[in-house]
Amino acid sequence: MTYRRWFVVGVAFAVIGALVAAFAIFYGSFSPRGFVEDRYTRAAAQDIGRDAIAYTSNKSPSQVAQDVTAAWQPADQYVDGSGVYLRYDDDSVVILPIATGSVILLERLRTAYPRYHSTVGNHWGWGRGSTVRGGGPGSGK
């Protein structure tokens, strides 16, 4: 009986492992960062220092944003003539137009927010999935 039980447990783990592998192959990585890394072309020459890692696409910023947000819903999103700015819990995905399509910049939120604050202003809420309300008396009410 003991060998049979271990065989069943082993088969169960093998099936679970196969399902996880299939999910990873068909649906990409388990984060917005991984999604971009798996689907777009790395463009190290367009990195911004060590903070913003660049990728490119021949699609327009709105098309890239549609692909990314269909897979990973952002906590906040801001769109203007300069590009598409997606905020996630720990990361940002900034999609800017270039002559041949888009440059996609992946950056941790702690460095992206100060970099893009003049553009996104208060449109990007701060914190996990929430927006920031003002700090004065009666603000946010």
Side-chain angles (χ1 to χ4, degrees):
M1 271 300 194
T2 305
Y3 293 115
R4 184 175 178 172
R5 181 180 297 154
W6 284 111
F7 178 76
V8 170
V9 169
V11 168
F13 275 108
V15 169
I16 291 169
L19 290 173
V20 169
F23 182 82
I25 289 168
F26 291 111
Y27 294 103
S29 295
F30 300 100
S31 70
R33 179 176 289 271
F35 182 86
V36 170
E37 290 169 346
D38 289 347
R39 284 172 177 74
Y40 300 104
T41 305
R42 181 74 171 92
Q46 296 190 34
D47 287 356
I48 301 174
R50 293 185 203 165
D51 296 326
I53 307 303
Y55 292 81
T56 58
S57 172
N58 59 359
K59 295 179 178 181
S60 71
S62 61
Q63 290 171 317
V64 172
Q66 185 176 4
D67 292 345
V68 174
T69 59
W72 293 95
Q73 186 65 36
D76 283 304
Q77 178 174 331
Y78 180 74
V79 180
D80 71 4
S82 68
V84 180
Y85 302 82
L86 306 174
R87 180 182 71 82
Y88 293 92
D89 282 344
D90 297 319
D91 289 315
S92 71
V93 178
V94 175
I95 308 157
L96 305 173
I98 56 174
T100 58
S102 301
V103 63
I104 304 133
L105 297 165
L106 299 177
E107 187 170 1
R108 295 284 178 214
L109 203 53
R110 71 178 177 276
T111 57
Y113 189 76
R115 181 185 315 279
Y116 300 110
H117 182 266
S118 64
T119 302
V120 299
N122 292 328
H123 295 281
W124 268 5
W126 193 254
R128 294 192 170 271
S130 64
T131 58
V132 175
R133 294 183 178 190
S139 63
K141 294 182 181 175

